[in-house]
Amino acid sequence: MTATSKKERAIRTVEMIVPPPPAHWVGDGFKVHGYFPHGPLPATRVSPFFLLDYNAKTDFPPREEPYGVGPHPHRGFETVTIAYKGKVEHHDSRGGGGIIEEGDVQWMTAGSGLLHKEFHEAEYNRKGGPFHVVQLWVNLPAKDKMTPPKYQAIANAEMGRAKLAYGGEVEIIAGEFDGVKGPATTFTPVHLYNVRPAKGSSMTLDFPTGFTTLILAVEGSGLINGTDELKTDHLAVLSREGEVLTLEATEENSTFLVMAGEPIDEPIAQYGPFLMNTKAEIAQAIDDFNSGKFGYLE
Ligand code: MN
């Protein structure tokens, strides 16, 4: 006779490990590996996320003229920019602007739309040096796609912090870990953390079954569930089924970007920087852009 007093927690398994795809340039300032959406990772598989562009650590030589990308629009989603090394300066068509310092995050809700430009910050640009930046696009549900644009500038000191039982810590940007909340507000359930376990120590991640769960090794390397190796700049895609997984750092100073969220089960229509639900909404976005409704920016 067997009696189960405690429900077994189902393991969330590694479905694939994606090596860094060949890098491409965004303007002349961002040399990025684009992990999705394409190939084995279509938008439906990574929802609520839509795109991951990762500028792996790259040395930019000193230059007077800032590296970056000039004015371009966005509508229908959010861009989350994480500066691990280097500084990013941005300006938009509504008069907003600022600097994303090393360790900081910018959570920009494009919503109904704006134009912006993204450059290496002027003083950093003149000196040059290591640049290490993630840009993650988070989709918005249909009802919030035309929300007014806004920024959440999240300084490193404002992030939630949780000590890990076996050494190391978790920096919580959004969502919650072990009862500690991150400062970013989101439109759908999203957890975004920098996880830094001490070398040789393991930690547990636990998300509801059905959630998309992705882990990018931005520094060092790790071992998932004791069996699956995750090397630097590789992306682990976890199963939607299951709940818990373990993540061990196998090198000193390892950092893992953990992205988890509830999929948005709605149609996707994309054209460049516009991310909507229907072709008609894309046509409207192009019309609005051409007629100056996104504003102007030089
Ligand atoms: Mn942009």
Side-chain angles (χ1 to χ4, degrees):
M1 211 161 66
T2 56
T4 339
S5 59
K6 212 168 107 186
K7 191 175 167 260
E8 279 288 310
R9 309 283 288 138
I11 303 294
R12 188 182 291 278
T13 59
V14 173
E15 210 166 85
M16 62 181 114
I17 300 281
V18 183
H24 67 272
W25 285 91
V26 178
D28 68 359
F30 304 88
K31 187 189 177 189
V32 300
H33 302 287
Y35 295 81
F36 54 78
H38 55 73
L41 289 177
T44 48
R45 178 63 189 83
V46 295
S47 180
F49 311 111
F50 179 79
L51 174 148
L52 177 62
D53 269 358
Y54 173 52
N55 191 131
K57 207 185 288 170
T58 307
D59 267 310
F60 277 78
R63 199 173 78 173
E64 200 55 37
E65 187 196 342
Y67 298 104
V69 56
H72 57 277
H74 291 294
R75 173 180 280 181
F77 62 101
E78 302 181 287
T79 63
V80 179
T81 307
I82 306 170
Y84 292 101
K85 288 279 177 203
K87 301 177 184 184
V88 179
E89 189 168 341
H90 67 100
H91 295 278
D92 71 43
S93 50
R94 301 160 72 241
I99 294 163
I100 310 166
E101 304 275 350
E102 241 171 57
D104 293 355
V105 172
Q106 182 206 62
W107 199 296
M108 182 184 88
T109 305
S112 60
L114 44 66
L115 304 179
H116 78 160
K117 54 185 181 179
E118 298 156 277
F119 282 92
H120 294 208
E121 184 272 330
E123 196 185 332
Y124 158 74
N125 194 92
R126 276 193 287 273
K127 286 190 210 144
F131 192 72
H132 191 190
V133 170
V134 162
Q135 190 168 89
L136 176 69
W137 292 12
V138 181
N139 204 352
L140 287 169
K143 67 177 179 53
D144 295 315
K145 281 193 177 289
M146 295 299 277
T147 192
K150 70 169 183 185
Y151 292 100
Q152 300 177 70
I154 302 165
N156 191 270
E158 297 167 49
M159 291 177 192
R161 253 163 247 284
K163 290 274 172 222
L164 291 168
Y166 304 107
E169 74 165 21
V170 178
E171 204 171 75
I172 304 127
I173 300 163
E176 186 178 338
F177 175 81
D178 201 17
V180 181
K181 287 197 163 86
T185 59
T186 63
F187 287 82
T188 60
V190 170
H191 300 279
L192 190 64
Y193 320 138
N194 282 312
V195 176
R196 300 187 169 99
K199 184 190 172 186
S201 82
S202 182
M203 56 88 67
T204 301
L205 290 163
D206 186 346
F207 302 115
T209 191
F211 269 41
T212 292
T213 307
L214 308 165
I215 304 174
L216 179 67
V218 295
E219 291 277 4
S221 59
L223 200 58
I224 299 173
N225 293 334
T227 52
D228 297 274
E229 271 185 68
L230 184 62
K231 294 183 194 146
T232 313
D233 301 339
H234 286 52
L235 178 77
V237 181
L238 282 295
S239 61
R240 288 240 171 107
E241 301 73 34
E243 293 159 317
V244 296
L245 66 108
T246 63
L247 174 59
E248 178 190 333
T250 49
E251 281 178 58
E252 301 282 0
N253 303 314
S254 292
T255 299
F256 305 96
L257 176 65
V258 172
M259 299 158 270
E262 184 177 66
I264 298 169
D265 188 18
E266 293 175 346
I268 292 171
Q270 186 218 0
Y271 179 76
F274 307 127
L275 182 54
M276 305 301 290
N277 299 111
T278 67
K279 281 184 182 170
E281 288 166 345
I282 292 293
Q284 184 67 55
I286 293 167
D287 269 6
D288 289 351
F289 173 63
N290 288 334
S291 61
K293 286 189 181 145
F294 283 69
Y296 297 93
L297 185 67
E298 286 192 1

